[in-house]
Amino acid sequence: MAKQQSGQRGRDRASGRPRSMHVHQTILESTRSLLAEVGYEHLSIESVAADAGVGKSTIYRRWSTKEDLVVDALVSAKPTVAVPDTGDLRQDIHAWVETYMAVMGSSVGRQVLGLIIGTVSSNPHLAEVYWSRYVVPANDALAAVLQRAQARGQLRADTPLSAAIDAVSGIMFYQLLVKPSAQVSLQHIHQAIDIVLRGSGVYDP
Amino acid sequence: MAKQQSGQRGRDRASGRPRSMHVHQTILESTRSLLAEVGYEHLSIESVAADAGVGKSTIYRRWSTKEDLVVDALVSAKPTVAVPDTGDLRQDIHAWVETYMAVMGSSVGRQVLGLIIGTVSSNPHLAEVYWSRYVVPANDALAAVLQRAQARGQLRADTPLSAAIDAVSGIMFYQLLVKPSAQVSLQHIHQAIDIVLRGSGVYDP
Amino acid sequence: MAKQQSGQRGRDRASGRPRSMHVHQTILESTRSLLAEVGYEHLSIESVAADAGVGKSTIYRRWSTKEDLVVDALVSAKPTVAVPDTGDLRQDIHAWVETYMAVMGSSVGRQVLGLIIGTVSSNPHLAEVYWSRYVVPANDALAAVLQRAQARGQLRADTPLSAAIDAVSGIMFYQLLVKPSAQVSLQHIHQAIDIVLRGSGVYDP
Amino acid sequence: MAKQQSGQRGRDRASGRPRSMHVHQTILESTRSLLAEVGYEHLSIESVAADAGVGKSTIYRRWSTKEDLVVDALVSAKPTVAVPDTGDLRQDIHAWVETYMAVMGSSVGRQVLGLIIGTVSSNPHLAEVYWSRYVVPANDALAAVLQRAQARGQLRADTPLSAAIDAVSGIMFYQLLVKPSAQVSLQHIHQAIDIVLRGSGVYDP
DNA sequence: TGCTAATCGAGACGGTACGTCAAGTCTTAAG
DNA sequence: CTTAAGACTTGACGTACCGTCTCGATTAGCA
């Protein structure tokens, strides 16, 4: 994601002083910390350099734009959410949703999501990264849970899985992105997901 | 939303030359047009002033920040979506969803949404405006359709309406915000909504 | 000096509300007071208007530029220095010089001189006014004193008067313009002038 | 006079890219050239930057105000006037005056003088620089000539030298500052100086 | 062990846009 | 028609960062 910048002038073999991995990490950490503090808009490369105790060129040598840097900082810190398997569809889904909401619904998580969504429209590259690192894994987790349930006969066979996944994902992202955090309640989410489950042919809770 | 900036210095009666409504509109139009051209990130107040044939101070007299200006430009152009009433719940919902997606799913609509979501986390004022102008009306429209249906007995009485509304809204916003526009299909949306309707106690289509 | 601005549109007879002489004076006074406070550089027409409790257009209707206004404010307050006639040349000259230095050597007087000298090079109009209102009267006063002395035989007949005048004027303006005010001493000036008088053929004191 | 601005943050050894002497000179030259063109009042830092092909910050990094810049530009270009020594007082003085008037009486010279005099009253720092760089050397030159003459017995011993110097300087500055350039004649100046010399006890020419 | 070449911190460089201020003009309502 | 008020266009102000470019001073691996 980074590194394949300008460097490597001709000769394959690394010559001269190698780039410091430590500096690399320090920069990413400063970026994340400042990002949480002042937001994407007011994040300046100069402040990152100062905070990391690093020269500007050391940053530009690795990332060519603020966007690049921020994307890398966020992607390299992506949290993972485990997929539960208790044998009961409803329980699995609700457990997974609860964990996912806990992780992404934090102040930082919401900022990250907001930043990414806001940038996507003007930055196709970021969109792609975001899609493959944040959304696809969530959908895959959901798909796994639902497929297992369908295999066990807990879900009507003719239910289009992708539609059900979109409905559940939609409910979650709607709460994360659109609703003011004060208005989000887990109980509410569970109700909505139950409607989807019922509509997908699961026995009533 | 604007206007109540600095003005009103003591005397109630307007004194001095009144602010030109024409200039006001011209600025907002230039803002929208440039916004669509270069995006929020690369929109400069100076370019707006130049495009509108106006001095910078004339802009700063009305809006104190770029954010303020852009929000006003977007809000003052907010499209309205009519709520259909054919007597059939499914038909009403699908019709409404289709119109809403057409309006908000356009290139500009997506940009607007992305911009707002991305800014919300760092701008509470914008969040409020956005919530009351974009989200609440949509929810109200949905609520109206569902309430009518419940009154007619087309919807099970014990279905929590707010949960159903969140599910439908979620499906739509998920498509608008999260999915790459290329992957959005109306058919897919209809399927997901049908799952919600079925789960809410509507007879199968 | 002012007044012959835009006004007088055709009809000779004043029609409509006449210009207030009181306002005119108030503006000039505010100008002088602010000038002494902040200096020419940082004097703003807006501050003059505010201080005088007057609209900007009321000022611009009378003076077209800041320079015009300031020049008028200074000229309209020009002090006059009486020419003594005691029958003794030396006494007359020294008395006159003392009075002149007292008037022009004040803090305001020095500021006025400095302002005018500094502006002269870029403003021929001001130069003319300055020359005729400030310098010529001083020279005339000196000329009168010297001519009287020459007529009385107190001054050698072949002394070129204009050269003597220039020498005396030079001594004074040099003290006023060039020397730091702290280094100016009347005794010193008298010594220098005595040299000129002796060189002009007056008996030693 | 410049340079000792922000720099020197703790570490003695210069760190980072050193300031370019070349741009430094270019800026000063542009300043002088524009100063002669449009005058101090209408000189803008932006125009200097444009003319020198330099960013504004490069100027502000070295000089904090327009005044600072202009003072430095003028001081760094101060002309020197040689002191003649022919053995004859009258000849020496007249030669020196002629040279001095030629240098300072030029269009640029007069502007510089006017600028400085006009600014002195509101800028003590400039006053000091001006006094020590422009006035004192001239007085020193005169003093040297007169002292030599007094040592040779060409000048009466009891003549106060500083008064004589002030008289001669006064005559010159009066011509330079007060008189319109059209009215200045060298012959006139020589006459006035001869009066002073005669008054100081020099044999008549 | 020294040589070589890219790295490092630092900060100056030419620029762009910021948000503020004042200049001089224009437009109201009140007198 | 003048006045006070204040919005208008214009243009410079001084600041903050941009992304690029020197500097002298480290580092590795290669010779």
Side-chain angles (χ1 to χ4, degrees):
Chain A
M1 158 106 234
K3 286 256 188 143
Q4 51 289 63
Q5 198 77 353
S6 56
Q8 285 83 346
R9 278 177 220 79
R11 55 175 72 209
D12 276 278
R13 295 269 294 87
S15 160
R17 178 175 175 178
R19 292 192 186 161
S20 155
M21 248 356 245
H22 175 252
V23 166
H24 200 93
Q25 291 309 319
T26 308
I27 294 171
L28 290 178
E29 272 156 38
S30 289
T31 303
R32 279 190 290 266
S33 126
L34 285 170
L35 205 51
E37 230 178 89
V38 303
Y40 180 78
E41 187 90 54
H42 299 107
L43 178 77
S44 75
I45 298 277
E46 277 185 349
S47 66
V48 173
D51 185 271
V54 138
K56 278 202 290 178
S57 41
T58 303
I59 296 182
Y60 281 108
R61 202 174 290 120
R62 293 150 202 267
W63 302 274
S64 55
T65 64
K66 186 165 88 168
E67 233 158 55
D68 259 34
L69 170 60
V70 168
V71 169
D72 210 1
L74 295 181
V75 163
S76 66
K78 200 218 70 170
T80 50
V81 176
V83 189
D85 184 5
T86 65
D88 179 54
L89 171 58
R90 239 197 113 245
Q91 213 169 314
D92 282 7
I93 293 243
H94 283 299
W96 183 85
V97 164
E98 230 157 286
T99 322
Y100 196 86
M101 290 297 294
V103 170
M104 303 302 289
S106 69
S107 168
V108 177
R110 273 172 166 264
Q111 260 198 354
V112 169
L113 276 183
L115 160 60
I116 292 177
I117 296 285
T119 318
V120 151
S121 64
S122 59
N123 185 348
H125 179 232
L126 172 55
E128 186 193 327
V129 169
Y130 154 64
W131 179 253
S132 61
R133 302 255 175 161
Y134 280 79
V135 180
V136 167
N139 284 1
D140 285 354
L142 271 178
V145 172
L146 290 175
Q147 269 161 2
R148 277 203 306 265
Q150 213 165 32
R152 285 194 301 251
Q154 292 176 341
L155 201 60
R156 226 164 61 186
D158 63 346
T159 297
L161 278 195
S162 69
I165 291 171
D166 275 17
V168 174
S169 284
I171 288 165
M172 284 192 328
F173 279 101
Y174 178 67
Q175 308 290 327
L176 289 170
L177 291 170
V178 178
K179 276 211 173 171
S181 54
Q183 294 189 26
V184 172
S185 86
L186 273 181
Q187 202 201 327
H188 203 111
I189 297 177
H190 288 317
Q191 280 186 344
I193 285 180
D194 279 340
I195 291 181
V196 173
L197 291 181
R198 202 181 311 136
S200 303
V202 180
Y203 297 116
D204 238 349
Chain B
M1 158 105 236
K3 285 257 186 144
Q4 51 287 64
Q5 198 86 340
S6 55
Q8 283 82 348
R9 269 174 230 81
R11 55 177 69 214
D12 279 276
R13 294 269 296 88
S15 168
R17 178 175 175 177
R19 293 196 184 157
S20 153
M21 252 354 249
H22 176 250
V23 170
H24 200 95
Q25 291 308 320
T26 309
I27 293 171
L28 290 178
E29 273 156 37
S30 289
T31 303
R32 279 191 289 266
S33 123
L34 285 168
L35 204 52
E37 230 179 87
V38 303
Y40 179 77
E41 189 90 53
H42 299 105
L43 178 76
S44 76
I45 299 275
E46 281 189 343
S47 65
V48 173
D51 185 273
V54 138
K56 275 201 291 179
S57 43
T58 301
I59 296 183
Y60 282 109
R61 201 174 290 121
R62 293 150 199 267
W63 302 274
S64 55
T65 66
K66 187 165 89 169
E67 231 158 58
D68 258 34
L69 169 61
V70 169
V71 169
D72 209 3
L74 296 180
V75 164
S76 66
K78 199 219 69 173
T80 49
V81 175
V83 189
D85 184 4
T86 64
D88 178 55
L89 171 59
R90 239 198 114 246
Q91 211 169 314
D92 281 5
I93 293 243
H94 282 300
W96 183 83
V97 164
E98 224 156 291
T99 322
Y100 197 85
M101 290 297 293
V103 170
M104 303 301 290
S106 68
S107 167
V108 176
R110 274 171 163 267
Q111 259 198 355
V112 169
L113 277 182
L115 161 60
I116 290 177
I117 297 284
T119 316
V120 152
S121 65
S122 58
N123 184 348
H125 179 233
L126 172 55
E128 186 193 328
V129 169
Y130 155 64
W131 178 254
S132 60
R133 301 255 178 159
Y134 279 81
V135 179
V136 167
N139 283 3
D140 284 353
L142 272 176
V145 172
L146 290 175
Q147 269 161 0
R148 276 203 307 264
Q150 213 166 31
R152 283 191 304 250
Q154 292 176 344
L155 201 59
R156 226 165 58 188
D158 64 345
T159 298
L161 280 195
S162 69
I165 291 171
D166 274 18
V168 174
S169 284
I171 289 166
M172 286 193 326
F173 279 99
Y174 179 67
Q175 306 291 327
L176 289 171
L177 291 170
V178 179
K179 278 211 171 171
S181 53
Q183 293 188 28
V184 172
S185 86
L186 272 182
Q187 203 201 329
H188 203 108
I189 296 175
H190 288 316
Q191 280 185 345
I193 284 179
D194 279 339
I195 291 181
V196 173
L197 290 181
R198 203 180 310 133
S200 304
V202 181
Y203 297 116
D204 240 349
Chain C
M1 155 108 234
K3 286 257 189 142
Q4 52 289 63
Q5 198 78 352
S6 54
Q8 285 85 344
R9 276 176 222 81
R11 55 176 73 211
D12 276 278
R13 291 268 294 86
S15 156
R17 177 173 173 178
R19 290 193 187 163
S20 150
M21 250 354 249
H22 175 252
V23 167
H24 200 93
Q25 290 310 319
T26 309
I27 292 170
L28 290 178
E29 272 157 36
S30 289
T31 303
R32 279 191 289 265
S33 124
L34 285 169
L35 205 52
E37 232 178 87
V38 302
Y40 180 78
E41 188 90 53
H42 299 107
L43 177 76
S44 75
I45 298 279
E46 269 173 1
S47 65
V48 173
D51 186 90
V54 139
K56 276 204 289 179
S57 40
T58 302
I59 297 181
Y60 280 108
R61 202 171 291 116
R62 293 151 200 265
W63 302 274
S64 55
T65 66
K66 188 163 89 169
E67 230 159 59
D68 257 35
L69 170 61
V70 168
V71 169
D72 209 3
L74 296 179
V75 164
S76 66
K78 200 218 71 172
T80 49
V81 175
V83 189
D85 184 4
T86 65
D88 178 57
L89 170 59
R90 237 197 114 247
Q91 209 169 317
D92 283 3
I93 291 240
H94 283 298
W96 184 84
V97 164
E98 226 156 290
T99 322
Y100 197 85
M101 288 299 291
V103 170
M104 303 302 290
S106 69
S107 168
V108 176
R110 273 172 165 264
Q111 258 198 354
V112 168
L113 277 183
L115 162 60
I116 290 177
I117 296 284
T119 317
V120 152
S121 64
S122 58
N123 185 348
H125 178 231
L126 172 55
E128 185 193 327
V129 169
Y130 154 66
W131 179 255
S132 60
R133 301 254 177 161
Y134 281 79
V135 179
V136 168
N139 283 2
D140 284 354
L142 272 177
V145 172
L146 291 175
Q147 269 160 2
R148 275 202 306 264
Q150 212 164 33
R152 286 193 300 253
Q154 294 177 342
L155 201 62
R156 226 164 61 189
D158 64 345
T159 298
L161 278 196
S162 68
I165 292 171
D166 275 16
V168 174
S169 285
I171 288 166
M172 285 194 325
F173 280 99
Y174 178 68
Q175 306 291 327
L176 290 171
L177 291 170
V178 178
K179 276 213 173 170
S181 53
Q183 294 189 26
V184 172
S185 86
L186 273 181
Q187 201 202 329
H188 203 111
I189 296 176
H190 288 316
Q191 281 187 343
I193 286 180
D194 278 340
I195 291 181
V196 174
L197 290 181
R198 203 181 310 135
S200 303
V202 181
Y203 295 116
D204 239 348
Chain D
M1 155 107 233
K3 283 262 188 136
Q4 50 289 63
Q5 197 89 339
S6 54
Q8 282 85 346
R9 265 176 231 79
R11 53 178 70 215
D12 278 276
R13 295 270 295 88
S15 166
R17 177 172 174 179
R19 295 196 183 159
S20 153
M21 253 354 250
H22 176 250
V23 295
H24 199 96
Q25 291 310 319
T26 309
I27 292 170
L28 291 178
E29 273 157 36
S30 290
T31 302
R32 280 190 289 266
S33 123
L34 285 168
L35 205 52
E37 230 177 87
V38 303
Y40 180 77
E41 187 90 55
H42 299 106
L43 178 76
S44 76
I45 299 275
E46 278 184 349
S47 65
V48 173
D51 186 89
V54 139
K56 274 201 290 179
S57 40
T58 301
I59 297 182
Y60 281 109
R61 202 174 290 122
R62 293 152 198 265
W63 302 275
S64 55
T65 64
K66 189 165 87 169
E67 232 159 57
D68 258 34
L69 169 60
V70 168
V71 168
D72 210 0
L74 296 181
V75 164
S76 66
K78 201 218 68 172
T80 48
V81 176
V83 188
D85 183 5
T86 63
D88 178 55
L89 170 59
R90 237 197 115 246
Q91 210 169 315
D92 282 5
I93 292 243
H94 284 298
W96 183 85
V97 164
E98 227 157 290
T99 323
Y100 197 85
M101 289 297 292
V103 171
M104 304 301 290
S106 68
S107 167
V108 176
R110 273 171 164 265
Q111 259 197 354
V112 168
L113 276 183
L115 159 61
I116 290 176
I117 296 285
T119 318
V120 152
S121 63
S122 59
N123 185 346
H125 179 232
L126 172 54
E128 186 193 327
V129 169
Y130 154 65
W131 178 255
S132 62
R133 302 258 175 158
Y134 280 80
V135 179
V136 168
N139 284 1
D140 285 353
L142 271 177
V145 173
L146 290 175
Q147 270 161 2
R148 277 202 306 263
Q150 213 165 30
R152 285 192 300 252
Q154 294 176 343
L155 201 61
R156 224 164 60 189
D158 64 346
T159 298
L161 278 196
S162 67
I165 292 171
D166 275 17
V168 174
S169 284
I171 289 166
M172 285 194 324
F173 280 101
Y174 178 68
Q175 307 291 324
L176 288 171
L177 291 170
V178 179
K179 277 212 174 170
S181 54
Q183 295 189 25
V184 172
S185 86
L186 271 182
Q187 201 202 328
H188 203 109
I189 296 174
H190 288 316
Q191 279 186 344
I193 285 179
D194 278 340
I195 290 181
V196 172
L197 290 180
R198 203 180 310 134
S200 303
V202 181
Y203 298 117
D204 240 349

